[in-house]
Amino acid sequence: MFNKILIANRGEIACRIAATCKRLGVRSVAVYSAADAQARHVAVCDEAVQIGGAAAADSYLRGARIIEAARVMGAQAVHPGYGFLSENEDFARACAAAGLVFIGPPIAAIAAMGSKAAAKTLMGEAAVPLVPGYHGIDQDAQRLQREADAIGYPVLLKASAGGGGKGMRVVEHSHAFAAALASCQREAASSFGDDRVLLEKYLTRPRHVEVQIFADQQGGVVYLFDRDCSVQRRHQKVLEEAPAPGLSAELRRTMGEAAVNAAQAVKYVGAGTVEFIMTASGEFYFMEMNTRLQVEHPVTEMVTGLDLVEWQLRIAAGEPLPLTQAQLVCEGHAIEARLYAEHPARGFLPSTGTLRHLHWPAHVEFALSAADGARAAVRIDSGVRQGDSITPFYDPMIAKLIVHGASRQQALARMAQALGECEVVGLHTNIAFLQRIVSHDAFASGELDTGLIERHQAAFFAAEPVPPPAVLALACAALLARQQEAGEAASPWTALAHWRLNGPCIQTLCWYQRGREAAGDEPGPYAVTFTSDHEAQTLACAPCSEPEPFAWWRGDVPHAFGVMLGERRITGRVVTQDDVFDVFYQGQAYALEWQNLLAHAADEAGDEGRLTAPMPGKVIAVLVSPGEVVAKGAPLLVMEAMKMEHTIGAPTAGTVTEVHYAVGDQVSEGVQLLVLDAG
Ligand code: ADP
């Protein structure tokens, strides 16, 4: 076994790898960019080296710099994690040349699987089933168009070098092919530096089922069962589970064996995932092989009780597979949810900012049945702590929440509960969106296919629930507490209240709900009438409702509040900053803004016709020029942020009167990109 390794990654996966190193007594060396000097992964590793600027290209993608760091620090091996250099064959080769062990497969296997197109050719030869399509080397646009026409629509365009759904485009009609091809090639070139594409028949309602395999240097190959990753948005995984629900033992074994065949065909070594696309009737086709640890590997760890990073290290160090196929057991059910800083209702735009408040359900950070005898029910893999920022430089993942249960039903219940206990303040997250999916009948009943989210979008993208009286009462309690602690205990409402010398104080508190505003729903106001005199306090949570006896107190832990409203005892948590009160009550989050009635109303000057950048990024295509008349929905400009393209479309028909940016310009969130005259 190694005694020191360098982790060429950041975020949760770097922390995850460091945890295994610590358990095995292997020293870990972190690398970090200028933006990550205070990052958690730097703190959890034993040593750390700064390798360059914030942009990935200036740091985490600088192979030579990372290898240099490994040598200087005396590391024997490099673990690349996922993303960044994990599937980069030049990097693997450079590691070997520098005398470092690359903790991953042999260079030839990365090369073979690095291109989806070449991999398909190889798998076809090894008799692994393939989706009908075109993966030839001729990339002439007309040739591609002819192939697409021959396959029949809908056709799926993929970047040959792709991953993470980037570049992928579904084309419904022949006439839409050329534009989709150009867009796919552009995204492929910017994400992977390679604009080659392949075509596949687009299957309707398929499932994504993948098999975890492991191979050692002695030629042994085993499969660690399967995972279902069908719940996706824009071809990116949202929820993953192990084992894949509803597979017969025979199908499970057939798929496992097909995956082992695929691995053997490329003389694979280490951890790998063979991804299959499966039809409702159980036919499955090879999609690609990921030659690294997957984001969703924890669900496999939960059901097998194994530490996959430990297996990776042992195999890279030359040890044989720790267990044989017959010794591997799959126990219970595990589900993973990816918690992202993003706006699901706004096309999943990444959200950046500081994690002002972060509270997780009771969990273990990384636990295994084999190691501690008791399988963890809830595990969280995260690369951030409260106070850290999600920046535009890297993937906006906040954490992975993984649960295990004896059955799928139990795992699902645990997931729903754990999600309800997650509290994140400071940026938008997908937590409410995840909650709606896991509590929906379609997911619960195992109606798994890649169209699940789209089919039920009305339910999943529903407006934020309106705050019930309990939530308003908790917010009022937090406001009162704040006033009191600011030294206004004697008369909390001095500044605002309408005191009458011989009568009670009566105050109307106005609350607006932030999420609803963003979703275009009525955000309030929710008027709460608070009455206080010497003897008693009351609260009326709606204009016409009867005042109810009211009392409040602070809980034992920070942010915890309790109130009595009538005879109801209500507890929750409230995180405040300025006039924004984030209330967490019974598994739901409500962002309420207190409107100080003495302050003037926010200026909501008309924004019509102004087209602003929804996030910081770069302009990569300007599709219109001033004077141009456009139809509603017409694409006007394309931005790129976090390597994803976002097209700005015309909200109404009109004439473009101004274009403020050109291709290559970097723009910040909220700047005006163009002006459209709707008249
Ligand atoms: P990436 O490597 O970019 O993640 P994949 O080839 O793994 O791309 O595909 C990602 C997802 O896209 C799959 O999980 C599946 O949901 C969908 N997909 C891929 N190929 C097809 C296809 N031929 N028909 C329908 N959906 C597909």
Side-chain angles (χ1 to χ4, degrees), residues 600-621:
H600 56 79
D603 178 13
E604 285 174 13
D607 259 0
E608 275 161 46
R610 287 189 55 186
L611 287 154
T612 55
M615 57 179 311
K618 195 164 102 182
V619 176
I620 56 167

Side-chain angles (χ1 to χ4, degrees), residues 116 156 158 163 165 168 200-201 203 208 232 275 288 450:
K116 285 189 204 283
L156 185 63
K158 289 185 185 180
M168 213 177 280
E200 279 177 10
K201 175 87 193 151
L203 305 176
H208 173 122
Q232 304 180 344
E275 296 189 335
E288 65 167 342
T450 61

Side-chain angles (χ1 to χ4, degrees), residues 87 116 120 131-132 154-168 170 192 198-210 229-237 275-278 285-290 292 294 449-451:
E87 293 178 288
K116 285 189 204 283
K120 289 184 82 169
V131 192
V155 157
L156 185 63
L157 265 162
K158 289 185 185 180
S160 287
K166 282 167 192 152
M168 213 177 280
V170 181
F192 313 111
L198 63 87
L199 309 174
E200 279 177 10
K201 175 87 193 151
Y202 186 67
L203 305 176
T204 47
R205 298 191 72 159
R207 281 174 71 176
H208 173 122
V209 179
E210 59 184 34
C229 311
S230 300
V231 183
Q232 304 180 344
R233 50 94 174 163
R234 294 179 168 187
H235 307 299
Q236 282 186 40
K237 297 162 187 167
E275 296 189 335
F276 295 107
I277 190 157
M278 198 176 99
Y285 305 103
F286 171 84
M287 241 185 329
E288 65 167 342
M289 180 168 185
N290 290 321
R292 53 169 164 79
Q294 298 274 88
D449 67 79
T450 61

Side-chain angles (χ1 to χ4, degrees), residues 368-639:
L368 300 159
S369 60
D372 55 21
R375 209 175 289 250
V378 181
R379 162 175 164 184
I380 288 174
D381 283 18
S382 176
V384 292
R385 301 151 299 196
Q386 179 165 300
D388 288 349
S389 293
I390 301 290
T391 68
F393 301 114
Y394 317 109
D395 184 76
M397 188 197 276
I398 301 170
K400 302 187 304 206
L401 172 63
I402 311 111
V403 297
H404 184 261
S407 62
R408 183 172 191 264
Q409 197 186 6
Q410 189 182 70
L412 208 60
R414 288 192 170 151
M415 177 57 86
Q417 178 168 5
L419 279 170
E421 291 172 17
C422 293
E423 299 171 4
V424 182
V425 177
L427 26 72
H428 288 267
T429 75
N430 63 343
I431 294 173
F433 174 70
L434 292 168
Q435 285 179 304
R436 291 181 191 135
I437 302 175
V438 302
S439 59
H440 196 279
D441 279 351
F443 184 70
S445 64
E447 185 199 295
L448 296 170
D449 67 79
T450 61
L452 180 99
I453 289 181
E454 206 177 3
R455 203 159 47 245
H456 299 287
Q457 49 179 305
F460 299 159
F461 296 92
E464 304 280 321
V466 300
V471 167
L472 296 170
L474 285 165
C476 291
L479 180 58
L480 276 162
R482 186 171 81 181
Q483 300 278 352
Q484 215 176 59
E485 281 145 29
E488 295 161 46
S491 53
W493 308 106
T494 341
L496 348 144
H498 313 282
W499 279 98
R500 275 184 274 138
L501 262 178
N502 299 315
C505 147
I506 300 172
Q507 176 62 41
T508 301
L509 303 167
C510 263
W511 299 96
Y512 285 86
Q513 193 182 10
R514 288 198 140 188
R516 291 182 75 79
E517 209 168 0
D521 289 293
E522 198 53 58
Y526 301 97
V528 180
T529 309
F530 171 77
T531 312
S532 172
D533 66 18
H534 304 302
E535 270 103 61
Q537 299 182 333
T538 65
L539 207 65
C541 288
C544 307
S545 70
E546 274 296 305
E548 291 181 275
F550 173 68
W552 66 271
W553 62 93
R554 263 192 189 280
D556 298 338
V557 292
H559 310 294
F561 284 91
V563 303
M564 285 302 294
L565 188 62
E567 283 164 2
R568 281 179 68 198
R569 188 175 188 281
I570 295 156
T571 55
R573 290 160 61 87
V574 189
V575 178
T576 60
Q577 188 180 43
D578 301 327
D579 290 337
V580 179
F581 290 63
D582 283 277
V583 182
F584 298 93
Y585 174 66
Q586 293 194 343
Q588 293 281 331
Y590 304 83
L592 297 177
E593 187 162 354
W594 173 53
Q595 183 148 41
N596 183 340
L597 290 179
L598 295 186
H600 56 79
D603 178 13
E604 285 174 13
D607 259 0
E608 275 161 46
R610 287 189 55 186
L611 287 154
T612 55
M615 57 179 311
K618 195 164 102 182
V619 176
I620 56 167
V622 178
L623 307 171
V624 290
S625 38
E628 208 165 314
V629 177
V630 294
K632 180 175 177 180
L636 304 176
L637 180 147
V638 185
M639 283 183 60

